[in-house]
Amino acid sequence: MSERLYSLLLRLYPRAFRERYSAEMRQVFRDRLRHEAPLRVWTDVLGDALVSIPRQHFISGPHPYFPPLAAPLHAAVQAMLIRAFVASTICAISAAAMSVARSFWSVPVFVIASGVLLRTLWKAGCMSRAIRTYVAEVGDDSVTVSCAGLGMAPVTLRRADVTAVHVFVKTGLRVQTADPSRDLWVPENVPSYADLKARLSEWAPVTVTPWWQGMWQPPDGVGLAVSCALALLLPMSFASGYAAGSVLVLVWVIAQGDGKRLLTWTDPRSRRFALSLLPAAIVLVRWML
Amino acid sequence: MPRRSLDPLPAAAFHILLALADGDKHGYAIMREVAEVTDNKVRLGPGTLYGSIQTLLDAGYVEETDERADPEVGDARRRYYRLSSVGRTALKAEAQRMADLVRLAKSRKVLKAAHV
């Protein structure tokens, strides 16, 4: 029973962390139960969970533009501001345009509520906590990227490792390798960025992505639950505006390159994309009733 | 994704490296050792322990090993961790940093010699 409860607690950790460590953590839990009083074990485990679960979510949150290595401050702030501006503008305009904003106060409600739906976008700002100084060394057959002062081993990729290069305009580039865990992110303000890009383009095909593509991330479980609760509980005039705003955002997403892939169900985010229509469906049902 | 900084070493990471300094260990053994050497003042919870191990693995400070250092508790399901040479260097540097701080505290009479 105790272990079953602990398994439920483990489900609160991010999926990647859980898949990697849950078996070991359960084993440790069993070991401790054999040697220590259950009350003490549970006190420790719950206290630790309160700290480590949010920390792991912060560490392993989705950062489509800032994968393996941390991004520089200006790119992170720029991305955060752009995304916050786009999300807020869309929500505010949609609320006003639908004329369901019967009072001035409903507009910020739409903006805040849609902000919850789009909250994964905010995580771009968290990167400012992980500022590092990047150094890139470009060789004839290899490139090495390291974070000066971090004490981490430099990442070296050879010509044979590189399968594709994705350039994100005004942000940086991502070097794709056969092993996804070795993919390398290089921010644009690295001193030798131009040399690096030129060398990589000799090794593998380059795709260039405009900055506005791929900005949308589907809401996670909590975001979706909050959105559904809002759709269910808000007064109808607010809820319909909120739903309209959400649908507009999703339509905008579909119009982007990423959205097309979502609709063909070939993207792992497709299911969550469909689920994010749930709040709008709830409002529709309320309206029909 | 953002990674935790290891410069300076967080306390949990330092204790884990210290526990691995005298041989390979699995998670529970590390947890037990840290509690023992600190008289239960530092108790690593499982989330903190494996979160720190993940960070140390990413940084190359520790590595997984298939060898079973302790045959009594040797279990195919357990993963054992080993201090790498990079990790040993970082551990030494952090211990030296702490020793310097202690020396400084002694010179300012914050610590008496008996406490050190």
Short mmCIF file of all heavy atoms in Angstrom, two decimals, chain A residues 1-64:
data_model
loop_
_atom_site.label_atom_id
_atom_site.label_comp_id
_atom_site.label_asym_id
_atom_site.label_seq_id
_atom_site.Cartn_x
_atom_site.Cartn_y
_atom_site.Cartn_z
N MET A 1 0.84 -1.21 0.00
CA MET A 1 0.00 0.00 0.00
C MET A 1 0.87 1.26 0.00
O MET A 1 0.66 2.20 -0.76
CB MET A 1 -0.90 -0.02 1.25
CG MET A 1 -1.80 1.22 1.38
SD MET A 1 -2.96 1.31 0.02
CE MET A 1 -3.81 2.81 0.41
N SER A 2 1.90 1.21 0.91
CA SER A 2 2.81 2.35 1.02
C SER A 2 3.52 2.60 -0.32
O SER A 2 3.65 3.73 -0.76
CB SER A 2 3.84 2.04 2.10
OG SER A 2 4.04 3.16 2.91
N GLU A 3 3.95 1.49 -0.93
CA GLU A 3 4.68 1.65 -2.18
C GLU A 3 3.78 2.14 -3.30
O GLU A 3 4.19 2.91 -4.17
CB GLU A 3 5.33 0.32 -2.56
CG GLU A 3 6.40 0.53 -3.61
CD GLU A 3 7.09 -0.74 -4.01
OE1 GLU A 3 7.15 -1.67 -3.19
OE2 GLU A 3 7.55 -0.81 -5.16
N ARG A 4 2.52 1.70 -3.25
CA ARG A 4 1.58 2.16 -4.28
C ARG A 4 1.36 3.67 -4.16
O ARG A 4 1.32 4.39 -5.14
CB ARG A 4 0.24 1.41 -4.12
CG ARG A 4 -0.61 1.51 -5.36
CD ARG A 4 -1.79 0.60 -5.29
NE ARG A 4 -1.41 -0.80 -5.20
CZ ARG A 4 -2.26 -1.77 -4.91
NH1 ARG A 4 -3.52 -1.51 -4.67
NH2 ARG A 4 -1.85 -3.03 -4.85
N LEU A 5 1.25 4.13 -2.91
CA LEU A 5 1.09 5.57 -2.69
C LEU A 5 2.33 6.32 -3.17
O LEU A 5 2.23 7.39 -3.78
CB LEU A 5 0.88 5.86 -1.19
CG LEU A 5 -0.52 5.61 -0.63
CD1 LEU A 5 -0.53 5.82 0.86
CD2 LEU A 5 -1.53 6.52 -1.31
N TYR A 6 3.48 5.73 -2.91
CA TYR A 6 4.72 6.38 -3.34
C TYR A 6 4.80 6.43 -4.87
O TYR A 6 5.25 7.43 -5.45
CB TYR A 6 5.92 5.64 -2.77
CG TYR A 6 7.22 6.33 -3.04
CD1 TYR A 6 7.45 7.63 -2.60
CD2 TYR A 6 8.23 5.71 -3.77
CE1 TYR A 6 8.63 8.29 -2.87
CE2 TYR A 6 9.42 6.36 -4.04
CZ TYR A 6 9.61 7.64 -3.59
OH TYR A 6 10.78 8.30 -3.87
N SER A 7 4.32 5.36 -5.53
CA SER A 7 4.31 5.36 -7.00
C SER A 7 3.43 6.49 -7.52
O SER A 7 3.74 7.12 -8.53
CB SER A 7 3.79 4.02 -7.52
OG SER A 7 4.66 3.00 -7.13
N LEU A 8 2.31 6.73 -6.82
CA LEU A 8 1.43 7.84 -7.23
C LEU A 8 2.15 9.18 -7.07
O LEU A 8 2.04 10.06 -7.92
CB LEU A 8 0.14 7.84 -6.41
CG LEU A 8 -0.85 6.73 -6.73
CD1 LEU A 8 -2.03 6.78 -5.76
CD2 LEU A 8 -1.36 6.86 -8.16
N LEU A 9 2.89 9.28 -5.96
CA LEU A 9 3.64 10.52 -5.72
C LEU A 9 4.68 10.74 -6.83
O LEU A 9 4.88 11.86 -7.30
CB LEU A 9 4.34 10.45 -4.35
CG LEU A 9 5.15 11.69 -3.94
CD1 LEU A 9 4.23 12.86 -3.64
CD2 LEU A 9 6.01 11.39 -2.73
N LEU A 10 5.30 9.64 -7.26
CA LEU A 10 6.33 9.75 -8.30
C LEU A 10 5.76 10.27 -9.62
O LEU A 10 6.48 10.84 -10.43
CB LEU A 10 7.00 8.39 -8.53
CG LEU A 10 7.94 7.91 -7.43
CD1 LEU A 10 8.51 6.54 -7.79
CD2 LEU A 10 9.07 8.89 -7.19
N ARG A 11 4.46 10.07 -9.80
CA ARG A 11 3.84 10.52 -11.05
C ARG A 11 3.84 12.05 -11.16
O ARG A 11 3.61 12.59 -12.23
CB ARG A 11 2.41 10.00 -11.16
CG ARG A 11 2.34 8.50 -11.33
CD ARG A 11 0.92 8.07 -11.57
NE ARG A 11 0.39 8.56 -12.83
CZ ARG A 11 0.57 7.98 -14.00
NH1 ARG A 11 1.26 6.87 -14.07
NH2 ARG A 11 0.05 8.49 -15.09
N LEU A 12 4.10 12.72 -10.04
CA LEU A 12 4.13 14.18 -10.07
C LEU A 12 5.45 14.72 -10.63
O LEU A 12 5.56 15.89 -10.95
CB LEU A 12 3.91 14.75 -8.66
CG LEU A 12 2.54 14.44 -8.04
CD1 LEU A 12 2.47 14.97 -6.61
CD2 LEU A 12 1.42 15.03 -8.88
N TYR A 13 6.46 13.86 -10.73
CA TYR A 13 7.73 14.29 -11.31
C TYR A 13 7.59 14.37 -12.83
O TYR A 13 6.72 13.69 -13.41
CB TYR A 13 8.85 13.32 -10.94
CG TYR A 13 9.33 13.45 -9.51
CD1 TYR A 13 8.76 12.69 -8.49
CD2 TYR A 13 10.35 14.34 -9.18
CE1 TYR A 13 9.18 12.82 -7.18
CE2 TYR A 13 10.78 14.47 -7.87
CZ TYR A 13 10.20 13.71 -6.88
OH TYR A 13 10.62 13.86 -5.58
N PRO A 14 8.43 15.16 -13.49
CA PRO A 14 8.37 15.22 -14.96
C PRO A 14 8.57 13.83 -15.56
O PRO A 14 9.31 13.01 -14.99
CB PRO A 14 9.53 16.14 -15.33
CG PRO A 14 9.89 16.86 -14.10
CD PRO A 14 9.49 16.01 -12.93
N ARG A 15 7.95 13.62 -16.69
CA ARG A 15 7.96 12.29 -17.30
C ARG A 15 9.38 11.76 -17.53
O ARG A 15 9.69 10.61 -17.19
CB ARG A 15 7.22 12.33 -18.64
CG ARG A 15 7.15 10.97 -19.33
CD ARG A 15 6.63 11.13 -20.74
NE ARG A 15 5.26 11.58 -20.73
CZ ARG A 15 4.20 10.77 -20.76
NH1 ARG A 15 4.39 9.48 -20.82
NH2 ARG A 15 2.99 11.24 -20.73
N ALA A 16 10.24 12.59 -18.09
CA ALA A 16 11.60 12.11 -18.42
C ALA A 16 12.34 11.68 -17.16
O ALA A 16 13.00 10.63 -17.14
CB ALA A 16 12.38 13.21 -19.14
N PHE A 17 12.19 12.47 -16.11
CA PHE A 17 12.86 12.14 -14.84
C PHE A 17 12.29 10.85 -14.28
O PHE A 17 13.01 9.97 -13.80
CB PHE A 17 12.67 13.31 -13.86
CG PHE A 17 13.37 13.12 -12.54
CD1 PHE A 17 14.72 13.40 -12.42
CD2 PHE A 17 12.68 12.68 -11.43
CE1 PHE A 17 15.37 13.24 -11.21
CE2 PHE A 17 13.32 12.52 -10.21
CZ PHE A 17 14.68 12.79 -10.11
N ARG A 18 10.97 10.74 -14.37
CA ARG A 18 10.28 9.56 -13.82
C ARG A 18 10.72 8.29 -14.55
O ARG A 18 11.02 7.27 -13.94
CB ARG A 18 8.79 9.79 -14.02
CG ARG A 18 7.92 9.11 -13.02
CD ARG A 18 6.51 9.62 -13.14
NE ARG A 18 5.91 9.42 -14.43
CZ ARG A 18 5.22 10.34 -15.09
NH1 ARG A 18 5.08 11.53 -14.59
NH2 ARG A 18 4.66 10.06 -16.24
N GLU A 19 10.74 8.39 -15.88
CA GLU A 19 11.11 7.21 -16.66
C GLU A 19 12.53 6.76 -16.35
O GLU A 19 12.84 5.58 -16.35
CB GLU A 19 10.97 7.51 -18.16
CG GLU A 19 9.51 7.53 -18.59
CD GLU A 19 9.35 7.98 -20.03
OE1 GLU A 19 10.35 8.38 -20.65
OE2 GLU A 19 8.20 7.95 -20.51
N ARG A 20 13.38 7.73 -16.07
CA ARG A 20 14.78 7.40 -15.83
C ARG A 20 15.01 6.89 -14.41
O ARG A 20 15.81 5.98 -14.20
CB ARG A 20 15.62 8.66 -16.11
CG ARG A 20 17.07 8.60 -15.73
CD ARG A 20 17.84 7.62 -16.59
NE ARG A 20 19.24 7.59 -16.20
CZ ARG A 20 19.71 6.96 -15.13
NH1 ARG A 20 18.86 6.30 -14.36
NH2 ARG A 20 20.98 6.97 -14.84
N TYR A 21 14.32 7.48 -13.42
CA TYR A 21 14.70 7.20 -12.03
C TYR A 21 13.61 6.57 -11.16
O TYR A 21 13.91 6.23 -10.00
CB TYR A 21 15.18 8.49 -11.35
CG TYR A 21 16.49 9.00 -11.90
CD1 TYR A 21 16.54 10.15 -12.68
CD2 TYR A 21 17.68 8.31 -11.68
CE1 TYR A 21 17.73 10.59 -13.21
CE2 TYR A 21 18.87 8.75 -12.21
CZ TYR A 21 18.90 9.89 -12.97
OH TYR A 21 20.08 10.33 -13.50
N SER A 22 12.39 6.42 -11.64
CA SER A 22 11.34 5.97 -10.71
C SER A 22 11.61 4.57 -10.16
O SER A 22 11.35 4.31 -8.98
CB SER A 22 9.97 6.03 -11.39
OG SER A 22 9.90 5.10 -12.43
N ALA A 23 12.17 3.68 -10.98
CA ALA A 23 12.45 2.33 -10.49
C ALA A 23 13.46 2.39 -9.35
O ALA A 23 13.30 1.73 -8.31
CB ALA A 23 12.97 1.46 -11.63
N GLU A 24 14.50 3.21 -9.54
CA GLU A 24 15.52 3.34 -8.49
C GLU A 24 14.94 4.00 -7.25
O GLU A 24 15.26 3.61 -6.12
CB GLU A 24 16.68 4.18 -9.00
CG GLU A 24 17.63 3.42 -9.90
CD GLU A 24 18.79 4.29 -10.32
OE1 GLU A 24 19.73 4.44 -9.55
OE2 GLU A 24 18.73 4.85 -11.44
N MET A 25 14.10 5.00 -7.45
CA MET A 25 13.52 5.70 -6.30
C MET A 25 12.59 4.77 -5.51
O MET A 25 12.56 4.81 -4.28
CB MET A 25 12.79 6.96 -6.76
CG MET A 25 13.75 8.04 -7.23
SD MET A 25 12.97 9.42 -8.07
CE MET A 25 12.36 10.37 -6.68
N ARG A 26 11.87 3.93 -6.23
CA ARG A 26 11.01 2.96 -5.52
C ARG A 26 11.87 1.97 -4.74
O ARG A 26 11.53 1.58 -3.63
CB ARG A 26 10.11 2.22 -6.53
CG ARG A 26 8.80 2.94 -6.77
CD ARG A 26 7.77 2.00 -7.38
NE ARG A 26 8.22 1.47 -8.65
CZ ARG A 26 8.02 2.07 -9.80
NH1 ARG A 26 7.36 3.19 -9.85
NH2 ARG A 26 8.46 1.55 -10.91
N GLN A 27 12.99 1.57 -5.35
CA GLN A 27 13.90 0.65 -4.67
C GLN A 27 14.45 1.28 -3.39
O GLN A 27 14.48 0.63 -2.33
CB GLN A 27 15.06 0.29 -5.62
CG GLN A 27 16.09 -0.65 -5.04
CD GLN A 27 15.52 -2.04 -4.77
OE1 GLN A 27 14.90 -2.63 -5.65
NE2 GLN A 27 15.69 -2.53 -3.55
N VAL A 28 14.84 2.53 -3.48
CA VAL A 28 15.34 3.24 -2.29
C VAL A 28 14.24 3.33 -1.23
O VAL A 28 14.50 3.13 -0.04
CB VAL A 28 15.83 4.66 -2.69
CG1 VAL A 28 16.06 5.52 -1.46
CG2 VAL A 28 17.11 4.57 -3.50
N PHE A 29 13.03 3.59 -1.69
CA PHE A 29 11.90 3.69 -0.76
C PHE A 29 11.70 2.35 -0.03
O PHE A 29 11.52 2.32 1.19
CB PHE A 29 10.64 4.06 -1.55
CG PHE A 29 9.42 4.28 -0.71
CD1 PHE A 29 9.29 5.42 0.07
CD2 PHE A 29 8.42 3.33 -0.69
CE1 PHE A 29 8.16 5.62 0.85
CE2 PHE A 29 7.29 3.51 0.08
CZ PHE A 29 7.16 4.67 0.86
N ARG A 30 11.77 1.25 -0.78
CA ARG A 30 11.63 -0.08 -0.17
C ARG A 30 12.75 -0.33 0.84
O ARG A 30 12.52 -0.82 1.94
CB ARG A 30 11.67 -1.18 -1.25
CG ARG A 30 10.34 -1.40 -1.95
CD ARG A 30 10.38 -2.70 -2.75
NE ARG A 30 11.33 -2.65 -3.85
CZ ARG A 30 11.04 -2.23 -5.07
NH1 ARG A 30 9.82 -1.84 -5.36
NH2 ARG A 30 11.96 -2.22 -6.03
N ASP A 31 13.98 0.03 0.43
CA ASP A 31 15.13 -0.15 1.33
C ASP A 31 14.92 0.60 2.63
O ASP A 31 15.20 0.09 3.71
CB ASP A 31 16.42 0.34 0.64
CG ASP A 31 16.87 -0.58 -0.48
OD1 ASP A 31 16.46 -1.76 -0.46
OD2 ASP A 31 17.60 -0.12 -1.38
N ARG A 32 14.47 1.83 2.49
CA ARG A 32 14.31 2.66 3.70
C ARG A 32 13.20 2.08 4.59
O ARG A 32 13.33 2.10 5.81
CB ARG A 32 13.97 4.09 3.30
CG ARG A 32 15.16 4.82 2.72
CD ARG A 32 14.93 6.31 2.69
NE ARG A 32 14.85 6.85 4.05
CZ ARG A 32 14.61 8.13 4.33
NH1 ARG A 32 14.44 8.99 3.35
NH2 ARG A 32 14.54 8.55 5.57
N LEU A 33 12.13 1.59 3.97
CA LEU A 33 11.03 1.03 4.78
C LEU A 33 11.49 -0.19 5.57
O LEU A 33 10.97 -0.49 6.64
CB LEU A 33 9.85 0.65 3.89
CG LEU A 33 8.92 1.80 3.48
CD1 LEU A 33 7.79 1.26 2.62
CD2 LEU A 33 8.36 2.54 4.69
N ARG A 34 12.48 -0.90 4.99
CA ARG A 34 13.00 -2.09 5.69
C ARG A 34 13.80 -1.71 6.92
O ARG A 34 13.87 -2.44 7.88
CB ARG A 34 13.88 -2.91 4.74
CG ARG A 34 13.10 -3.96 3.96
CD ARG A 34 14.02 -5.04 3.44
NE ARG A 34 15.00 -4.53 2.50
CZ ARG A 34 14.81 -4.43 1.19
NH1 ARG A 34 13.65 -4.82 0.69
NH2 ARG A 34 15.74 -3.97 0.40
N HIS A 35 14.45 -0.53 6.88
CA HIS A 35 15.38 -0.17 7.95
C HIS A 35 14.88 0.95 8.86
O HIS A 35 15.46 1.20 9.90
CB HIS A 35 16.72 0.26 7.35
CG HIS A 35 17.39 -0.84 6.58
ND1 HIS A 35 17.46 -0.86 5.22
CD2 HIS A 35 18.00 -1.98 7.01
CE1 HIS A 35 18.09 -1.95 4.82
NE2 HIS A 35 18.42 -2.65 5.88
N GLU A 36 13.86 1.67 8.44
CA GLU A 36 13.44 2.84 9.22
C GLU A 36 11.93 2.79 9.46
O GLU A 36 11.20 2.06 8.79
CB GLU A 36 13.79 4.13 8.47
CG GLU A 36 15.28 4.32 8.25
CD GLU A 36 15.58 5.52 7.34
OE1 GLU A 36 15.00 6.59 7.57
OE2 GLU A 36 16.37 5.36 6.40
N ALA A 37 11.50 3.61 10.43
CA ALA A 37 10.07 3.67 10.74
C ALA A 37 9.32 4.32 9.58
O ALA A 37 9.79 5.32 9.02
CB ALA A 37 9.86 4.49 12.00
N PRO A 38 8.16 3.76 9.20
CA PRO A 38 7.42 4.31 8.06
C PRO A 38 7.11 5.80 8.19
O PRO A 38 7.18 6.54 7.21
CB PRO A 38 6.13 3.48 8.05
CG PRO A 38 6.48 2.22 8.75
CD PRO A 38 7.53 2.56 9.74
N LEU A 39 6.80 6.24 9.42
CA LEU A 39 6.46 7.65 9.61
C LEU A 39 7.63 8.54 9.22
O LEU A 39 7.47 9.56 8.54
CB LEU A 39 6.06 7.90 11.06
CG LEU A 39 5.61 9.34 11.36
CD1 LEU A 39 4.35 9.69 10.57
CD2 LEU A 39 5.36 9.54 12.86
N ARG A 40 8.81 8.14 9.65
CA ARG A 40 10.01 8.92 9.35
C ARG A 40 10.28 8.94 7.84
O ARG A 40 10.60 9.98 7.26
CB ARG A 40 11.21 8.32 10.09
CG ARG A 40 12.51 8.90 9.65
CD ARG A 40 13.42 9.10 10.79
NE ARG A 40 14.33 10.19 10.52
CZ ARG A 40 15.36 10.47 11.27
NH1 ARG A 40 15.58 9.80 12.36
NH2 ARG A 40 16.15 11.46 10.97
N VAL A 41 10.12 7.76 7.22
CA VAL A 41 10.36 7.68 5.77
C VAL A 41 9.40 8.60 5.04
O VAL A 41 9.80 9.39 4.17
CB VAL A 41 10.19 6.23 5.28
CG1 VAL A 41 10.32 6.15 3.77
CG2 VAL A 41 11.23 5.32 5.94
N TRP A 42 8.13 8.54 5.41
CA TRP A 42 7.14 9.35 4.71
C TRP A 42 7.35 10.84 4.96
O TRP A 42 7.16 11.66 4.06
CB TRP A 42 5.72 8.95 5.14
CG TRP A 42 5.19 7.85 4.27
CD1 TRP A 42 5.00 6.55 4.61
CD2 TRP A 42 4.81 7.97 2.89
NE1 TRP A 42 4.54 5.84 3.54
CE2 TRP A 42 4.41 6.68 2.47
CE3 TRP A 42 4.79 9.01 1.97
CZ2 TRP A 42 3.96 6.43 1.18
CZ3 TRP A 42 4.36 8.76 0.68
CH2 TRP A 42 3.95 7.48 0.30
N THR A 43 7.77 11.19 6.19
CA THR A 43 8.04 12.61 6.48
C THR A 43 9.16 13.11 5.58
O THR A 43 9.05 14.18 4.97
CB THR A 43 8.47 12.77 7.96
OG1 THR A 43 7.52 12.11 8.78
CG2 THR A 43 8.54 14.24 8.35
N ASP A 44 10.22 12.32 5.48
CA ASP A 44 11.35 12.71 4.62
C ASP A 44 10.93 12.81 3.16
O ASP A 44 11.25 13.76 2.45
CB ASP A 44 12.48 11.67 4.73
CG ASP A 44 13.32 11.90 5.97
OD1 ASP A 44 13.01 12.85 6.71
OD2 ASP A 44 14.27 11.13 6.21
N VAL A 45 10.21 11.79 2.73
CA VAL A 45 9.84 11.70 1.31
C VAL A 45 8.93 12.87 0.92
O VAL A 45 9.12 13.51 -0.12
CB VAL A 45 9.14 10.35 1.05
CG1 VAL A 45 8.31 10.39 -0.21
CG2 VAL A 45 10.17 9.24 0.95
N LEU A 46 7.95 13.17 1.77
CA LEU A 46 7.02 14.26 1.44
C LEU A 46 7.72 15.62 1.48
O LEU A 46 7.50 16.47 0.62
CB LEU A 46 5.82 14.25 2.40
CG LEU A 46 4.87 13.07 2.21
CD1 LEU A 46 3.77 13.09 3.26
CD2 LEU A 46 4.25 13.09 0.82
N GLY A 47 8.58 15.79 2.49
CA GLY A 47 9.34 17.05 2.58
C GLY A 47 10.22 17.24 1.36
O GLY A 47 10.29 18.32 0.79
N ASP A 48 10.86 16.17 0.96
CA ASP A 48 11.74 16.22 -0.21
C ASP A 48 10.94 16.47 -1.49
O ASP A 48 11.36 17.24 -2.35
CB ASP A 48 12.50 14.89 -0.31
CG ASP A 48 13.36 14.83 -1.55
OD1 ASP A 48 14.29 15.65 -1.65
OD2 ASP A 48 13.10 13.99 -2.41
N ALA A 49 9.76 15.84 -1.56
CA ALA A 49 8.94 15.99 -2.77
C ALA A 49 8.51 17.44 -2.96
O ALA A 49 8.45 17.94 -4.09
CB ALA A 49 7.72 15.08 -2.69
N LEU A 50 8.22 18.12 -1.86
CA LEU A 50 7.78 19.52 -1.95
C LEU A 50 8.83 20.39 -2.62
O LEU A 50 8.50 21.35 -3.31
CB LEU A 50 7.50 20.07 -0.54
CG LEU A 50 6.16 19.67 0.09
CD1 LEU A 50 6.08 20.21 1.50
CD2 LEU A 50 5.00 20.20 -0.75
N VAL A 51 10.09 20.05 -2.41
CA VAL A 51 11.18 20.85 -2.99
C VAL A 51 11.58 20.31 -4.36
O VAL A 51 11.74 21.06 -5.33
CB VAL A 51 12.41 20.82 -2.05
CG1 VAL A 51 13.56 21.59 -2.65
CG2 VAL A 51 12.03 21.39 -0.69
N SER A 52 11.73 18.99 -4.44
CA SER A 52 12.35 18.43 -5.65
C SER A 52 11.39 18.37 -6.85
O SER A 52 11.83 18.45 -7.98
CB SER A 52 12.93 17.04 -5.36
OG SER A 52 11.93 16.16 -4.95
N ILE A 53 10.08 18.23 -6.61
CA ILE A 53 9.16 18.16 -7.76
C ILE A 53 9.14 19.49 -8.53
O ILE A 53 9.37 19.49 -9.75
CB ILE A 53 7.75 17.73 -7.31
CG1 ILE A 53 7.79 16.26 -6.88
CG2 ILE A 53 6.73 17.93 -8.44
CD1 ILE A 53 6.50 15.76 -6.26
N PRO A 54 8.93 20.64 -7.85
CA PRO A 54 8.98 21.90 -8.62
C PRO A 54 10.35 22.11 -9.26
O PRO A 54 10.42 22.59 -10.40
CB PRO A 54 8.70 22.98 -7.57
CG PRO A 54 8.14 22.30 -6.39
CD PRO A 54 8.59 20.88 -6.44
N ARG A 55 11.41 21.74 -8.57
CA ARG A 55 12.74 21.95 -9.12
C ARG A 55 12.93 21.14 -10.41
O ARG A 55 13.43 21.63 -11.41
CB ARG A 55 13.81 21.56 -8.09
CG ARG A 55 15.22 21.86 -8.58
CD ARG A 55 16.24 21.13 -7.76
NE ARG A 55 16.33 21.63 -6.41
CZ ARG A 55 16.59 20.86 -5.35
NH1 ARG A 55 16.76 19.58 -5.49
NH2 ARG A 55 16.66 21.38 -4.15
N GLN A 56 12.49 19.88 -10.37
CA GLN A 56 12.65 19.05 -11.56
C GLN A 56 11.80 19.57 -12.72
O GLN A 56 12.20 19.49 -13.87
CB GLN A 56 12.28 17.60 -11.25
CG GLN A 56 13.32 16.85 -10.43
CD GLN A 56 14.70 16.91 -11.05
OE1 GLN A 56 14.86 16.85 -12.26
NE2 GLN A 56 15.72 17.07 -10.24
N HIS A 57 10.62 20.11 -12.39
CA HIS A 57 9.79 20.66 -13.46
C HIS A 57 10.46 21.88 -14.07
O HIS A 57 10.39 22.11 -15.27
CB HIS A 57 8.40 21.02 -12.93
CG HIS A 57 7.48 19.85 -12.91
ND1 HIS A 57 6.88 19.35 -14.05
CD2 HIS A 57 7.11 19.03 -11.90
CE1 HIS A 57 6.15 18.29 -13.73
NE2 HIS A 57 6.27 18.08 -12.44
N PHE A 58 11.11 22.66 -13.21
CA PHE A 58 11.83 23.83 -13.74
C PHE A 58 12.98 23.39 -14.63
O PHE A 58 13.18 23.89 -15.73
CB PHE A 58 12.37 24.69 -12.59
CG PHE A 58 13.36 25.72 -13.06
CD1 PHE A 58 12.94 26.81 -13.81
CD2 PHE A 58 14.71 25.59 -12.78
CE1 PHE A 58 13.85 27.74 -14.26
CE2 PHE A 58 15.62 26.52 -13.23
CZ PHE A 58 15.19 27.60 -13.97
N ILE A 59 13.74 22.40 -14.13
CA ILE A 59 14.92 21.95 -14.87
C ILE A 59 14.55 21.29 -16.19
O ILE A 59 15.18 21.51 -17.21
CB ILE A 59 15.76 20.98 -14.01
CG1 ILE A 59 16.37 21.72 -12.83
CG2 ILE A 59 16.86 20.33 -14.83
CD1 ILE A 59 17.08 20.84 -11.85
N SER A 60 13.49 20.47 -16.16
CA SER A 60 13.21 19.69 -17.37
C SER A 60 12.01 20.21 -18.14
O SER A 60 11.44 19.50 -18.93
CB SER A 60 12.98 18.22 -16.99
OG SER A 60 12.00 18.15 -16.00
N GLY A 61 11.64 21.47 -17.91
CA GLY A 61 10.52 22.03 -18.66
C GLY A 61 10.83 22.08 -20.15
O GLY A 61 11.98 22.08 -20.54
N PRO A 62 9.78 22.10 -20.98
CA PRO A 62 10.04 22.09 -22.42
C PRO A 62 10.58 23.43 -22.90
O PRO A 62 10.02 24.47 -22.60
CB PRO A 62 8.64 21.84 -23.02
CG PRO A 62 7.70 22.33 -21.98
CD PRO A 62 8.38 22.17 -20.66
N HIS A 63 11.68 23.41 -23.58
CA HIS A 63 12.27 24.62 -24.13
C HIS A 63 12.64 24.35 -25.58
O HIS A 63 13.78 24.04 -25.88
CB HIS A 63 13.51 25.03 -23.36
CG HIS A 63 13.21 25.42 -21.97
ND1 HIS A 63 12.64 26.61 -21.65
CD2 HIS A 63 13.32 24.75 -20.81
CE1 HIS A 63 12.44 26.68 -20.35
NE2 HIS A 63 12.85 25.55 -19.82
N PRO A 64 11.66 24.41 -26.46
CA PRO A 64 11.93 24.03 -27.85
C PRO A 64 13.05 24.84 -28.48
O PRO A 64 13.73 24.37 -29.36
CB PRO A 64 10.60 24.30 -28.55
CG PRO A 64 9.86 25.24 -27.64
CD PRO A 64 10.31 24.92 -26.26
#
